[in-house]
Amino acid sequence: MVLELEGETIVKAGCDIGYLHTGIEKEFEAKLYQQAVTLTDRIDYLCPLINNLCYALAVEKLLAIEIPRAAQWMRVMLGELTRINSHLVWLGTHSMDLGAMSVFLYCFREREDVLRIFEMFSGQRMMTSYFRIGAWRSIRRAAGSRWYASSSTPFPAGWTNTRSC
């Protein structure tokens, strides 16, 4: 906000949008398209994959890049898990404000399963920087035996088969 003052009286007020508190917009200016993906994670630590996806989709549209159907499917599924993760944090912390400690513990138990899935795919629990311009990082790891052979998968039987998308 830009103010014009006469003593302690505001004579004129104007809005200056400025930058986010991290100055992330200025950081983007000095990066190549593929280098900026890691910055999108830091915009909102509860939804890093959604921010990666928005950025990747915008750049792909600018460059007229068509990504494989499997990559589109993977992006949607991981994006939805990110959304669920965010909602679990909200519900858990909100319920704690209301005095429901059990709900908080249940939500964070479920959130832990979602974070384990992120770790299986990207090697990171948060700040994954997983989506890339044109597809995603480490296709072999995403479809590798570590995911499908995992006996501790939180999904029901049949949800993790290898059918094509």
Side-chain angles (χ1 to χ4, degrees):
M1 184 162 278
V2 179
L3 301 175
E4 187 178 318
L5 304 172
E6 278 185 15
E8 292 185 14
T9 306
I10 299 173
V11 176
K12 187 177 177 183
C15 239
D16 182 10
I17 301 297
Y19 299 108
L20 288 173
H21 69 280
T22 58
I24 202 164
E25 301 93 332
K26 293 303 280 181
E27 287 290 325
F28 272 91
E29 291 176 6
K31 305 267 186 238
L32 298 174
Y33 284 139
Q34 66 270 25
Q35 292 173 323
V37 172
T38 58
L39 295 175
T40 62
D41 285 337
R42 277 78 179 164
I43 296 170
D44 178 3
Y45 70 93
L46 288 177
C47 293
L49 288 171
I50 295 295
N51 294 323
N52 288 167
L53 179 58
C54 292
Y55 177 71
L57 289 173
V59 173
E60 288 163 359
K61 188 172 184 177
L62 285 171
L63 300 176
I65 296 173
E66 183 72 28
I67 66 166
R69 186 159 164 77
Q72 294 173 9
W73 182 87
M74 186 73 66
R75 285 174 165 185
V76 169
M77 293 305 294
L78 290 172
E80 287 300 310
L81 284 172
T82 301
R83 186 181 57 79
I84 291 168
N85 176 38
S86 176
H87 284 67
L88 286 169
V89 171
W90 167 80
L91 180 60
T93 55
H94 184 69
S95 65
M96 209 163 79
D97 289 343
L98 297 173
M101 185 67 178
S102 297
V103 177
F104 171 78
L105 295 173
Y106 290 133
C107 286
F108 272 70
R109 179 191 65 190
E110 300 306 318
R111 180 177 183 255
E112 187 65 27
D113 288 340
V114 173
L115 293 176
R116 282 191 192 109
I117 293 169
F118 292 159
E119 189 174 11
M120 278 190 265
F121 276 88
S122 69
Q124 299 290 325
R125 296 166 56 83
M126 297 176 71
M127 309 308 166
T128 56
S129 298
Y130 189 61
F131 299 146
R132 293 289 189 259
I133 311 302
W136 67 79
R137 185 183 75 186
S138 184
I139 295 170
R140 187 175 301 139
R141 182 178 184 123
S145 60
R146 180 175 175 201
W147 170 255
Y148 294 110
S150 173
S151 60
S152 63
T153 180
F155 297 123
W159 280 31
T160 57
N161 61 19
T162 57
R163 290 184 304 193
S164 67
C165 299

